[in-house]
Amino acid sequence: MSSGIVLSIRKHRNDLIRLVKEPVLLFGLSVIFILLMVFIVYPVFVSARLSLFPEGKFSLDVYKYIFTHNRFRTAITNSILLGAIVATTSTIIGFIFAYALTRTKVPGQKIFKSFVLLPMISPPFMFALSVILLFGRNGLITAGLLGLDRYNIYGLKGLAIVQTIGLFPLAYLTLSGILQAIDPDLEAGAMNLGAKRLRTFMTVTLPLAMPGIFASWLLVFVGSLTDFGNPMVIGGDFNVLSVQAYLEFTGMGNLPRGTALSILLLIPTVAIFLFQKYLLRKKSYTTITGKSTRRAALKATPLINNLLFIVCLIVLLFVLMFYVTIIGGSFVWLWGLDWSFTLKHFAYSFDVGLETLKDTIFLAVIATPVTALLGMLIAFFVVRKSFPGKHVMEFVTMMSYAIPGTAVGIGYILAFNKQPLLLSGTAFILIACYVFRNVPIGVEAGIAALKQISTDIEESSTNLGANSTYTFRRITLPLITPSFFAGATFAFVRCMTAISAIIFLVSARWNHLTVLILAQTEIMRLGVASALCFVLILIIMVFIGIIRKVIGLGQEKIFGTVS
Amino acid sequence: MLNEQIDITLSISDKWEAEDLVLRNIVKTFDDRRGGIVYAVNDISLTIQKGEFVTLLGPSGCGKTTTLRLIAGFEDPDRGEIILGRKNINNVPAFERNMPMVFQSYALFPHLSVFENIAYGLKVRKIQADIRKNDVEMALQLVNLIGLENRYPGELSGGQQQRVALARAIVLKPKIILFDEPLSNLDAKLRAQTRIEIKRLRQMLGITAVYVTHDQAEALSLSDRIVLMNKGKIEQIGTPEEIYNKPESLFVADFIGNANFLEAVVEDIGEESVVVSLQDRQVKIVKENTCSGLMEGEEVYLIIKPEAVRIGKNADDFKGKISSKFFLGTSMEYEIEFEDSIITSIQPNSGDLDMSIPAGEEISISFNKNYFQILKKD
Ligand SMILES: Nc1ncnc2c1ncn2[C@@H]1O[C@H](COP(=O)(O)OP(=O)(O)OP(=O)(O)O)[C@@H](O)[C@H]1O
Ligand SMILES: [Mg+2]
């Protein structure tokens, strides 16, 4: 055994020697490590310190206060309740979509597929705004069509609807991946052994999809827990943690308590993240052998097909109605009272929002390529290089995805408010926040791309005389460009629609459109808020369209039939 | 056409400066999933002379690819030295070793044209554009790919991709070329054709080559010497003839040529020969076909290749019974019940339609005694 230890020490030494042989690599790794430590680990550390050492001495008073006061205790139970409801409804709807789109031949699959992800690229509380317009006191449906007087949509009911719509696409994505990986031959096999359709579903499909269902439930739960925009707009008396943290921190100026609340938000999300990454993935039954070519899914009966089709259609129309409402809302004089057409909201938006809009785009345009490049670089190191500390690098990067925006925002304010890291109020703090919150997206995209490029290809470049840098530039980079842009697009969308962290970091000089929309909604200027939402969505759509055009072009020509 | 080709090759091989490659006590381990250690290469020593074509042969997982990757510099040995000429190259990074490798997957760059693929190594070395073009064209000609230089790898057949991979290596005029099962993705016919191609190129260019395969026909037909590996260790090194005709271990005998193992007992050890008893008969075997350290009365294996097992009707030969037969085209293979075991015999195809002996028939067997080989049991 001791010879084993000697060998493993030698291996580490070899890794080190390799690094020293390629100084660019060594330098790059060191810089990345420092950045990750400063912008991901350090803010969390500062937050934890403030909540545990409120006056410089260790004390649990802050937490004691939280757990003994009703306002905070209900915030905790409310958050959990809401999360559980939303996770359940979203997972059910997500499963129906995933099943319909991967396992059956319902008509209009293409259209469904292109619309189902739409909520993921919408501003964070657009649906909340829509719900107010539709079901609020002057709502089109509640007051207008049904004639209900002073109907109250604020609170749990409205939140559950809004978050479900916003988060079911996440469940759909998770589940369709899982369902696709289940070999249809298994279902065919069960039927072949005499099981009826329902029985096959219950005994084969569902159990195999169970880990995915569980994962999706947890993901949505976390999504609901960390959502800030919707509860802020439509929460009403329904207290939740993220909003309480914000109100304590910014409104009351009670920094330790606000911070402690953000830590309470952080603990379950990080725990779930770890659980899902390290435990659930290992348990997953679906093994992708790569050998069996994908056979067509079994044909479902017409009855099931129709049923699935109708459910999907209703959900989709419901979602679309929300978009139409926002567009409508931005063109009518006074929603619910005066339906005449106007452009005044746009004119007003232009007055109050032009600078902010410019800031928002500027910051996103700077942050996006940085995020995508950094993500690719980290992915490259993690997948292709061996060096000491590799797992730490991967872990910290992915971790940043799990930290709730509220905790990030508070952490950044606390960490970067004095020299030598005096960043608050600058554009830099916002860009850093975007970059490090979204870098896991770039890393995931990069890892997926790199795993598709066989190591042989990079090795053969090295073998022909190219060093790491040259190989990365001439071989790896061109091959991962499509994923690079996919990651960049997603990162851009997240920059444009950010709120929970950003709301702590904006300043008079650098504002964000979502913060402005929130402010307009709070003072019930719903027309202006709608107009701004509409503009935001348009910008995002145009950007995605351009990216699609640009990378859609060269790809096939370049890669021939190989990819 | 032929003259022109020879001209090209002369101008290329001018610059070919081969050197001996020495592996000394190389060990390479990997961590397995359960926290243990796998010895992929376990204390290998080997000298590859300049201009030599050496094949690493062995079953799947025996460490061939790992050895090749160690030579190429993709892996660092845990122990031992890799020496080129007189220089220890353990710490020379892969990109400075100048030992191009032909990958099993070809590893062509999908976003570069055939021309750019072949020119890649030259470009890395900052060779001037006009010289580069010239060299690439020569290489294209050598592998018969003229006219395809503007295609992308995705637009080529497997065999053509294979030749691009080859051209990409030889264009660098390397000291040594490494091959990792370069033919295993080709169909049988193309494989035979490319084998001939590689042999031709190598004779023209005098390349030093380290060639990995698990196909014995490839190894026997291409190599100057074969290194037979098993479980990370070398079982035997020798010319193809030595490996085939004089296996030094049961593993080698079994792996190469499907030898039959007959149980025998040593009767008498003489100056020039050893006498063993096979069933109730005595067989005399010349000393060079036996192994050292034999003792009288010891149970040993008599090794005999299927082509040395003859079937006849001679009454005083050994007795056996045909259990099944396989027509292979060039020959007929019989499985024969012999004592408690099954042995294999291969008879050349005589061209008669009714030459074969039906299954179930009692026959007599004779062995070509010069082929017998004694190996110790364990
Ligand atoms: N990167 C690695 N990590 C862990 N184990 C490895 C790695 N590479 C090789 N091994 C192990 O080392 C042993 C030798 O592998 P190697 O690839 O050299 O075999 P091979 O002789 O080339 O086999 P094949 O004919 O199948 O290609 C095998 O047991 C293999 O599982
Ligand atoms: Mg191999």
Side-chain angles (χ1 to χ4, degrees), chain A residues 205-257:
Chain A
T205 320
L206 207 54
L208 284 175
M210 218 54 217
I213 291 174
F214 195 38
S216 137
W217 196 93
L218 289 175
L219 276 176
V220 176
F221 182 80
V222 167
S224 159
L225 213 58
T226 55
D227 180 19
F228 170 79
N230 287 315
M232 193 70 189
V233 171
I234 198 182
D237 298 335
F238 191 79
N239 253 335
V240 297
L241 260 180
S242 57
V243 173
Q244 282 305 316
Y246 171 71
L247 292 179
E248 281 299 317
F249 194 91
T250 319
M252 310 287 186
N254 191 332
L255 305 193
R257 196 180 301 154

Side-chain angles (χ1 to χ4, degrees), chain A residues 9 36 86 92 137 165 199 227 241 247 301 329 332 421 538:
Chain A
I9 290 172
L36 294 180
V86 172
I92 291 172
R137 264 150 237 187
I165 290 180
R199 208 184 150 80
D227 180 19
L241 260 180
L247 292 179
T301 60
V332 305
L421 290 168
L538 274 184

Side-chain angles (χ1 to χ4, degrees), chain A residues 54 143 153 173 187 268 285-286 306 376 448 460 490 500 510 544 548:
Chain A
I153 188 70
L173 268 187
E187 290 169 339
Y285 303 112
T286 47
N306 290 341
M376 279 297 160
S460 87
F490 195 22
S500 54
W510 295 102
I544 292 178
R548 283 229 175 119

Side-chain angles (χ1 to χ4, degrees), chain A residues 1 3-4 6-8 10-11 14-15 17-18 21-22 454 456-468 470-471 474-475 478-479 557-562, chain B residues 29-31 37 39 69 72-79 91 93-95 99-101 103 105 107-112 120-121 123-125 152-155 168 172:
Chain A
M1 207 60 250
S3 88
V6 172
L7 285 177
S8 106
R10 281 188 200 199
K11 223 165 274 172
N14 284 340
D15 286 348
I17 291 177
R18 269 184 188 224
K21 283 257 146 67
E22 298 200 43
S454 72
D456 282 1
I457 286 184
E458 284 167 50
E459 278 177 357
S460 87
S461 165
T462 318
N463 176 255
L464 293 169
N467 60 17
S468 288
Y470 193 95
T471 303
R474 291 299 165 84
I475 303 300
L479 287 174
K557 199 182 120 214
I558 292 172
F559 296 103
T561 51
V562 139
Chain B
T29 61
F30 292 105
D31 303 327
I37 288 184
Y39 279 83
R69 291 170 58 83
F74 298 144
E75 312 277 1
D76 295 316
D78 296 336
R79 275 192 213 138
N91 287 329
F95 58 85
M99 298 182 193
M101 175 151 159
F103 290 77
S105 62
L108 300 180
F109 308 126
H111 61 305
L112 301 181
Y120 187 84
K123 213 166 161 186
V124 173
R125 287 169 176 69
Y152 285 88
E155 303 164 341
R168 194 172 65 174
L172 296 175

Side-chain angles (χ1 to χ4, degrees), chain B residues 23-51:
Chain B
L23 308 187
R24 192 172 291 158
N25 302 105
I26 299 287
V27 175
K28 176 70 190 175
T29 61
F30 292 105
D31 303 327
D32 72 5
R33 292 269 164 112
R34 279 160 281 117
I37 288 184
V38 185
Y39 279 83
V41 171
N42 194 353
D43 200 9
I44 277 188
S45 298
L46 174 68
T47 300
I48 294 159
Q49 262 133 32
K50 60 178 169 187

